[in-house]
Amino acid sequence: MQIDILPVLQALGIQSVNEASSTGKAWNSNDQQNVQVIFSPVDGKGIASVRFANSADYENTVLKAEDAFRAWRTWPAPKRGEVIRQLGDALRQHKTDLGKLVSYEMGKSLQEGYGEVQEMIDICDFSVGLSRQLYGLTMHSERPAHRMYEQWHPLGIVGIISAFNFPVAVWAWNMAIALVCGDVCIWKPSEKTPLTAIACQRILQKVFEANDVPEGVSCLLLGDRSIGELLSHDKRIGLVSATGSTRMGKAVGAAVGARLGRSLLELGGNNAIIISKDADLEMSLVGAVFGAVGTAGQRCTSTRRLIIHESVYDTFRDKLVNAYRQLKIGNPLDENMHVGPLIDIDAVKAYLSSIEKCKAEGGNFVVEGGVLEGEGYESGCYVKPCIAEAKNEFEIVQHETFAPILYLMKYKTLDDAIAMQNAVPQGLSSAIMTLNLREAEQFLSSAGSDCGIANVNIGTSGAEIGGAFGGEKETGGGRESGSDAWKAYMRRQTNTINYSDKLPLAQGIKFDL
């Protein structure tokens, strides 16, 4: 399948494959500093050259954002929401092209690419309503003729560090909410997927220009980890929202914490589905397979472990093996394919290393892995989703492997299964497949799953934007998207108003002059 991505780029406002810069604007071809060629894992071809930001670009961007914040915070929240509403409409118009670019640059299936853009549209819709619901509380004062209440104010500059696996959706989760809250944003996307970021910036900029939004309200800085380090150490950045590995998150959290700043961390997952003896096995099969192979296993919510009741273990394992035989692996822009490539050759090496470690610890592969070669697989990034019978305590099972490797293990009692589910350092997503109400409620109780997301009769992957997204333990504790996650982007202020002609002190303290 031949891929001509240039018309897609042009439809998204990128007119030349040599014009993408650190700010999303065209750059002078004579300026060759920090220029990187971006390759697609789909066919291994170079898509475009981009210029990464340097420290001077960073400083100019922060100064611009500071100026923009002073103006943007004075806009009424519903007016800010109207801008986000128009952005949602613009994303609807560009959904097909942006979805294709997500699929080609990152490697996820085309349907998942479209789904990612739909997530952006959904969070815009959510944020429009939120712009009229930034509620505080009122409290009764112990002092006569006094009124107490709380209100929420914007923080300032929000730094957004996003990962390659969701190159645009996670930015939108943060950006849309931060902007209606009155913050401004600086986005540092993954250096592996900068073109989708540039396309989003172009779409956003047109909406901003039509509404006279101050320049600098939402900025883009392409670059490597050095840009993330600048954001993390900069006291002018009110909040750093970082999505990525636990190792990266620990570095960001330490840097931000050292300056007593705020961080919102969305890090690794090691997610399990418990398959009960009372599960609907056909429905469980769909959830398990999509969770394990969707985005080629490169979601933080991907299913890594299946904890299966011993009475249905053999039956369900055989169903899985048969389903894996039917998987179609290839160009993700072909909608007949189930699985696309890993992001790059380094990811392939990590996949192969994980397989060898599992075998060395005694894992038994019932579906073998390997790298695919030949026509259609020239990029070297296509691998076989594989399944291993393993033990939860294996060192490799305790780690998050960003690849389609699924570990199977047995359990006898639900208490055992929940203990296994929780016995990993990460705590993002979890699920149980059961038609037994008692099992479902136990799994959701305080003695059940210790994850930020716990599902019944759906898989671990595919969160909706209406609920707060995030996890515990080494997943970082952050919450993005829906519910009251907006509070992370604002500062709380408690106010007391005395409308009497006296000044009584709290707790009955006397202080007479």
Side-chain angles (χ1 to χ4, degrees):
M1 181 179 180
Q2 294 290 87
I3 303 167
D4 183 6
I5 203 66
L6 186 56
V8 172
L9 292 172
Q10 292 175 340
L12 293 168
I14 303 174
Q15 298 303 319
S16 165
V17 294
N18 290 310
E19 70 161 351
S21 80
S22 58
T23 60
K25 298 179 180 178
W27 54 278
N28 188 327
S29 59
N30 294 323
D31 180 6
Q32 294 298 315
Q33 289 186 330
N34 298 326
V35 172
Q36 304 286 332
V37 178
I38 306 304
F39 294 90
S40 168
V42 174
D43 55 15
K45 295 180 180 179
I47 312 173
S49 298
V50 302
R51 187 178 74 81
F52 282 0
N54 54 34
S55 57
D57 295 321
Y58 174 83
E59 184 61 25
N60 290 336
T61 299
V62 172
L63 293 176
K64 186 186 300 181
E66 284 186 312
D67 285 342
F69 174 61
R70 283 187 277 271
W72 183 244
R73 65 184 175 186
T74 67
W75 284 42
K79 186 178 179 183
R80 298 191 295 253
E82 168 59 17
V83 175
I84 297 302
R85 184 194 66 77
Q86 293 178 35
L87 174 60
D89 286 346
L91 290 170
R92 286 180 173 90
Q93 295 172 13
H94 292 285
K95 179 177 177 178
T96 298
D97 287 315
L98 187 53
K100 287 180 180 177
L101 183 56
V102 167
S103 180
Y104 185 62
E105 186 178 32
M106 185 268 147
K108 64 175 57 177
S109 73
L110 186 57
Q111 284 299 315
E112 291 181 85
Y114 292 152
E116 181 161 352
V117 181
Q118 187 61 49
E119 279 195 65
M120 302 173 75
I121 295 166
D122 291 345
I123 198 64
C124 287
D125 288 349
F126 178 90
S127 299
V128 174
L130 179 64
S131 69
R132 295 179 182 270
Q133 299 178 77
L134 302 174
Y135 298 136
L137 299 174
T138 60
M139 291 78 73
H140 289 281
S141 174
E142 67 185 53
R143 290 168 283 186
H146 282 60
R147 181 166 68 87
M148 293 179 64
Y149 70 99
E150 68 178 24
Q151 59 181 336
W152 296 81
H153 295 300
L155 279 175
I157 303 175
V158 173
I160 303 170
I161 301 172
S162 61
F164 74 85
N165 59 332
F166 279 84
V168 292
V170 173
W171 164 72
W173 288 2
N174 285 274
M175 174 276 303
I177 292 179
L179 262 55
V180 298
C181 288
D183 299 315
V184 299
C185 299
I186 297 176
W187 180 19
K188 188 271 175 200
S190 169
E191 57 268 36
K192 298 178 182 181
T193 52
L195 292 173
T196 46
I198 293 168
C200 288
Q201 187 72 8
R202 298 286 172 88
I203 295 168
L204 182 72
Q205 205 56 46
K206 287 185 177 180
V207 174
F208 279 9
E209 289 170 359
N211 288 272
D212 295 322
V213 172
E215 184 181 3
V217 164
S218 185
C219 303
L220 174 66
L221 280 175
L222 307 182
D224 56 21
R225 61 186 298 176
S226 64
I227 300 300
E229 290 170 351
L230 288 170
L231 287 168
S232 299
H233 287 90
D234 195 335
K235 293 181 178 180
R236 296 170 294 182
I237 309 302
L239 170 71
V240 177
S241 178
T243 302
S245 68
T246 296
R247 180 172 56 86
M248 179 276 287
K250 287 181 177 179
V252 170
V256 177
R259 60 178 175 85
L260 297 181
R262 294 195 194 187
S263 58
L264 193 166
L265 303 176
E266 296 289 355
L267 311 176
N270 194 345
N271 316 293
I273 300 177
I274 297 172
I275 309 293
S276 163
K277 66 182 186 304
D278 296 320
D280 179 329
L281 295 187
E282 296 304 320
M283 185 171 66
S284 301
L285 185 65
V286 175
V289 174
F290 175 74
V293 308
T295 321
Q298 297 173 115
R299 291 185 177 210
C300 54
T301 55
S302 290
T303 305
R304 310 288 175 200
R305 299 172 292 145
L306 288 185
I307 304 170
I308 308 169
H309 192 271
E310 59 184 8
S311 67
V312 297
Y313 181 88
D314 290 345
T315 300
F316 196 72
R317 179 198 56 200
D318 293 346
K319 285 179 176 291
L320 276 170
V321 171
N322 184 57
Y324 269 54
R325 291 195 186 108
Q326 300 174 53
L327 290 176
K328 297 176 181 177
I329 308 166
N331 182 344
L333 277 78
D334 179 348
E335 296 194 59
N336 293 314
M337 297 297 156
H338 298 108
V339 184
L342 293 177
I343 185 64
D344 56 24
I345 297 299
D346 287 340
V348 174
K349 292 177 181 177
Y351 157 85
L352 293 172
S353 174
S354 296
I355 291 174
E356 291 308 311
K357 288 178 181 177
C358 183
K359 289 181 177 179
E361 291 190 78
N364 172 44
F365 278 79
V366 296
V367 176
E368 290 287 346
V371 181
L372 293 168
E373 299 176 343
E375 185 178 355
Y377 303 127
E378 290 85 357
S379 70
C381 296
Y382 292 87
V383 301
K384 300 175 184 177
C386 55
I387 303 173
E389 295 177 311
K391 293 183 179 180
N392 203 52
E393 58 267 27
F394 283 2
E395 183 180 2
I396 189 60
V397 174
Q398 292 287 309
H399 290 277
E400 178 189 41
T401 300
F402 237 48
I405 304 174
L406 181 63
Y407 304 111
L408 308 185
M409 51 204 74
K410 295 179 183 179
Y411 79 92
K412 290 186 177 182
T413 70
L414 183 57
D415 286 340
D416 292 339
I418 291 172
M420 292 167 67
Q421 137 73 38
N422 293 343
V424 293
Q426 309 84 359
L428 178 53
S429 188
S430 60
I432 186 170
M433 295 295 188
T434 183
L435 302 179
N436 184 318
L437 179 62
R438 289 177 176 174
E439 287 188 330
E441 291 295 339
Q442 181 179 343
F443 180 73
L444 299 177
S445 73
S446 60
S449 169
D450 65 358
C451 294
I453 298 170
N455 298 326
V456 176
N457 291 329
I458 64 170
T460 61
S461 191
E464 297 181 29
I465 59 90
F469 179 90
E472 302 301 324
K473 301 188 294 187
E474 288 193 359
T475 303
R479 292 297 184 275
E480 294 174 323
S481 192
S483 186
D484 64 348
W486 61 270
K487 293 180 179 178
Y489 303 85
M490 304 194 81
R491 58 182 176 88
R492 187 197 311 249
Q493 183 181 81
T494 301
N495 308 110
T496 305
I497 300 170
N498 176 6
Y499 57 93
S500 74
D501 58 0
K502 297 180 175 59
L503 204 157
L505 301 178
Q507 293 83 49
I509 294 173
K510 301 296 183 184
F511 188 77
D512 296 327
L513 294 177

